[in-house]
Amino acid sequence: MAESLTTRLRIRPRQRVKLARHDPDFTGAFQGKAEVKSATKKNVERLFDLQYKMYAENKHSLLVVLQAMDTAGKDGLIRHVMTGMNPQGCRVVPFKKPSEKEFDHEYLWRIHQAVPPKGEVGIFNRSHYEDVLVVRVHDLVPKSVWSKRFEQINRFEHYLAENGVTIVKFFLHISKDEQKKRLEARLKDPLKRWKFSVGDLAERKHWNEYMLAYEEVLSKCSTPWAPWYVIPANAKWFRNYAVSQILVETLNRLRMSWPKVTFDPKKIKVV
Ligand code: AMP
Ligand code: MG
């Protein structure tokens, strides 16, 4: 049987990732947006049902980690794919530069507090991975400190997984050229201008260092209990489809069921 899209995009444990070998323009068997539109829509509807079941069952939670370079589409993905989810039971948590209080704790402290409780979905817009990405690229802590974090993160995620948290991690992969186009579009379009930040230009200068840092993350932290997926993201419609498909498959594997009732509804009369 042909390898499924999900399997193809998943990084195997200990796989040595070279991002140059992952084409950001890849769109699988699809030629264009029109072909995939109804499939994405169907997945978004399935996600609504699966999330509802998760909420009712109150046994598992789902943690979705989103990481990417600026403009790669974390926000767009959240808008398009998570849009069908019930706000009761779904929370998006953005991670910015740590506050003073957060900074006084170890780096996983703020992360742990944001992990979704049983029955809920949590979407991390950036995450603890920033602590081996931006922190590394900008020398915010010494190498002797950040280099220990890959193992620490694996152990932390393992602990969460053993306690009912299903973890799935997406790296939205765009090319440097695509980022240029998107930054230019933000400057040009008055409706997109608010998204432009001069800081993004400074980060762009470190593109190669970020790619190296991401390669190490993907190579060391894709585990059976918390896999990384590299999502080709130059085509926004493919990015949305691929993530929706992986989420549906991930939730289906949980084999959730509606809670059994302990009463006989035929014997109860509402007066
Ligand atoms: P944005 O997601 O565009 O709102 O930007 C958030 C910013 O916070 C990015 O520049 C991140 O690199 C930065 N950030 C997130 N987590 C950390 C961290 N642990 N240490 C330093 N900077 C961080
Ligand atoms: Mg930004």
Side-chain angles (χ1 to χ4, degrees):
M1 202 178 86
E3 186 186 43
S4 76
L5 181 67
T6 300
T7 310
R8 178 173 178 144
L9 302 181
R10 187 191 299 127
I11 302 301
R12 297 183 307 278
R14 288 183 298 279
Q15 179 183 338
R16 284 283 303 272
V17 176
K18 284 271 164 241
L19 283 169
R21 288 199 217 120
H22 294 253
D23 180 8
D25 280 313
F26 177 79
T27 57
F30 306 101
Q31 308 294 324
K33 192 176 180 170
E35 276 175 55
V36 89
K37 218 171 156 185
S38 68
T40 306
K41 189 164 170 269
K42 220 163 102 192
N43 280 340
V44 169
E45 286 162 12
R46 287 288 295 131
L47 282 175
F48 178 88
D49 294 340
L50 286 160
Q51 182 214 359
Y52 198 38
K53 214 176 212 181
M54 177 175 268
Y55 190 74
E57 198 191 41
N58 201 34
K59 193 167 133 193
H60 303 277
S61 67
L62 174 69
L63 172 56
V64 181
V65 169
L66 299 179
Q67 284 289 159
M69 296 297 282
D70 293 310
T71 76
K74 298 194 296 321
D75 302 283
L77 177 79
I78 292 169
R79 255 193 339 270
H80 286 99
V81 176
M82 316 304 177
T83 183
M85 292 208 194
N86 182 351
Q88 175 144 296
C90 177
R91 188 156 78 105
V92 180
V93 189
F95 288 98
K96 314 266 179 191
K97 195 167 167 278
S99 68
E100 226 170 280
K101 185 176 174 198
E102 289 169 344
F103 202 70
D104 279 340
H105 290 269
E106 15 71 53
Y107 70 103
L108 291 174
W109 180 77
R110 65 173 181 164
I111 305 295
H112 200 169
Q113 291 181 78
V115 170
K118 283 190 188 73
E120 297 192 17
V121 176
I123 297 153
F124 284 4
N125 185 342
R126 303 187 190 271
S127 65
H128 42 307
Y129 285 96
E130 291 293 330
D131 293 286
V132 282
L133 291 163
V134 65
V135 161
R136 169 183 184 169
V137 170
H138 290 285
D139 276 324
L140 302 181
V141 302
K143 181 172 184 181
S144 58
V145 172
W146 61 253
S147 61
K148 291 197 181 78
R149 291 181 172 171
F150 302 103
E151 259 315 301
Q152 291 167 357
I153 288 173
N154 286 344
R155 289 199 296 265
F156 170 68
E157 292 177 349
H158 190 238
Y159 163 79
L160 295 180
E162 282 191 327
N163 286 281
V165 186
T166 296
I167 306 171
V168 51
K169 303 178 294 198
F170 297 108
F171 170 58
L172 309 183
H173 183 34
I174 55 165
S175 61
K176 199 177 176 190
D177 277 350
E178 180 65 23
Q179 190 193 51
K180 182 167 191 273
K181 280 188 211 147
R182 293 187 187 184
L183 286 170
E184 284 168 350
R186 285 183 181 184
L187 282 171
K188 225 170 117 198
D189 182 346
L191 288 179
K192 286 184 177 169
R193 212 162 280 158
W194 65 273
K195 287 198 223 171
F196 186 85
S197 140
V198 192
D200 293 351
L201 292 183
E203 291 309 277
R204 180 172 164 80
K205 290 209 178 86
H206 296 286
W207 184 276
N208 292 342
E209 290 148 274
Y210 270 111
M211 289 306 111
L212 280 175
Y214 268 112
E215 284 174 349
E216 193 159 353
V217 162
L218 296 165
S219 303
K220 291 192 167 161
C221 298
S222 195
T223 55
W225 55 87
W228 269 109
Y229 292 87
V230 174
I231 305 296
N234 276 4
K236 294 173 184 173
W237 53 265
F238 181 76
R239 170 200 79 198
N240 292 344
Y241 168 73
V243 169
S244 70
Q245 179 65 26
I246 292 165
L247 288 176
V248 166
E249 287 180 29
T250 303
L251 289 177
N252 271 336
R253 272 199 297 275
L254 294 178
R255 309 209 166 284
M256 295 182 288
S257 50
W258 296 102
K260 294 216 171 17
V261 292
T262 49
F263 49 82
D264 180 353
K266 285 192 208 82
K267 288 193 180 139
I268 296 181
K269 196 166 180 243
V270 181
V271 288

